[in-house]
Amino acid sequence: MSFYSAIRSKLSSIRLTLGNSLGSFPHIHEAEHTPNEGEIEGDPEESPLLVLCTLKGINGVPIAGATIDVWETDSKGFYDVKYAEQNDPDGRAVLTSDDEGNFFFKAIVPVPYPIPHDGPCGKLLTVLKRHPYRPSHMHFMFEKDDYDPLITALYLKNHPYESSDAVFGVKKSLLVELSKVEDKHIAQKHSVELGCALMTYDFILVTEEATKDLRQKLAAEVMESEGKKVRFLDGLPVPYVN
Ligand SMILES: [Fe+2]
């Protein structure tokens, strides 16, 4: 690996540690703002899922007022954009974290789906002896002033393709194990049946300042490991020349 490839790899690893891709069928901007507690999916063949999440900073302080985009496929593994006759967004919503940093909504249990594989991508996968499937997952995108934007996804633990994702998006820290709603107060509060599938996760956002410091620290470590002194120009590492 060349010196500059090493820098690029190290810097991108910071983003990859924290985040994840937009997915094979990316985010769209037409999703409606949905109050906490709302439903994001109108699939009648759905297997209902209650999603309860928190959003905090690395100091543990709740982050209120963050914008959170969520999106997933229907129970057949299709995103809404795959349906030519579908005019309104489905399986998508834009939420806002409340004063305690909570956000919660009703969705369906995610299912696996194949990435497009009827063209060159499919031929490449065949050559590589790989299947085209992505494991069951749900996408999240976070935006809040003064914080580094985060794009990520949660993957269902012990579901098919968990260890062979066609686009290599799965990370250990993003695997979640579904449980069931067993507390009648929680069921009543969120208007779901007892036994409804439950997904919980605590997300963390990093401030822009902390992210910048981390990127510079790691960039300096890489350059110094190559025996080079470093200075920063507009936030980018460059070799120090006396
Ligand atoms: Fe996806």
Side-chain angles (χ1 to χ4, degrees):
M1 182 182 288
S2 74
F3 172 64
Y4 288 104
S5 294
I7 292 271
R8 271 200 302 273
S9 170
K10 197 73 177 175
L11 287 175
S12 63
S13 74
I14 300 172
R15 169 72 69 172
L16 289 173
T17 304
L18 303 170
N20 206 253
S21 73
L22 276 166
S24 320
F25 298 95
H27 169 260
I28 62 171
H29 295 285
E30 286 79 15
E32 293 176 0
H33 193 275
T34 303
N36 277 310
E37 210 69 86
E39 290 184 9
I40 73 162
E41 176 68 70
D43 184 349
E45 295 171 33
E46 62 193 23
S47 180
L49 173 71
L50 176 63
V51 184
L52 305 178
C53 298
T54 67
L55 182 62
K56 294 178 179 173
I58 53 176
N59 54 4
V61 175
I63 299 175
T67 301
I68 305 130
D69 275 63
V70 296
W71 65 102
E72 66 169 341
T73 70
D74 64 12
S75 61
K76 298 180 191 67
F78 294 122
Y79 284 101
D80 54 358
V81 292
K82 289 282 282 182
Y83 293 100
E85 72 279 12
Q86 175 104 26
N87 292 319
D88 299 321
D90 193 28
R92 302 173 188 271
V94 181
L95 302 140
T96 304
S97 55
D98 68 15
D99 289 345
E100 282 80 46
N102 300 314
F103 63 98
F104 38 95
F105 55 97
K106 279 164 269 192
I108 62 168
V109 175
V111 297
Y113 65 80
I115 61 172
H117 59 286
D118 53 353
C121 183
K123 287 179 183 165
L124 179 61
L125 287 167
T126 302
V127 170
L128 296 172
K129 296 185 168 47
R130 291 186 61 82
H131 65 72
Y133 281 87
R134 298 220 63 205
S136 310
H137 62 277
M138 184 179 291
H139 295 274
F140 296 82
M141 183 165 72
F142 298 85
E143 288 181 293
K144 170 74 180 171
D145 287 349
D146 301 327
Y147 286 86
D148 201 45
L150 173 64
I151 302 168
T152 190
L154 296 180
Y155 298 85
L156 302 192
K157 199 172 184 180
N158 300 323
H159 276 227
Y161 315 115
E162 172 198 317
S163 59
S164 60
D165 182 5
V167 303
F168 303 99
V170 181
K171 294 172 183 63
K172 212 171 177 181
S173 61
L174 300 175
L175 284 169
V176 292
E177 202 156 2
L178 296 188
S179 58
K180 286 185 170 29
V181 176
E182 292 173 339
D183 183 322
K184 68 177 181 183
H185 299 295
I186 291 179
Q188 281 172 357
K189 180 182 175 190
H190 296 286
S191 304
V192 297
E193 302 278 334
L194 274 174
C196 174
L198 173 65
M199 184 163 80
T200 61
Y201 198 82
D202 300 320
F203 290 94
I204 294 174
L205 288 190
V206 182
T207 61
E208 285 177 341
E209 195 63 35
T211 306
K212 183 181 161 195
D213 291 347
L214 188 58
R215 287 193 176 117
Q216 291 196 349
K217 179 172 174 283
L218 291 178
E221 280 176 11
V222 172
M223 292 185 84
E224 282 161 12
S225 72
E226 296 286 330
K228 298 183 188 326
K229 284 187 176 178
V230 60
R231 69 189 178 98
F232 289 89
L233 194 62
D234 294 332
L236 295 173
V238 294
Y240 177 80
V241 179
N242 198 344

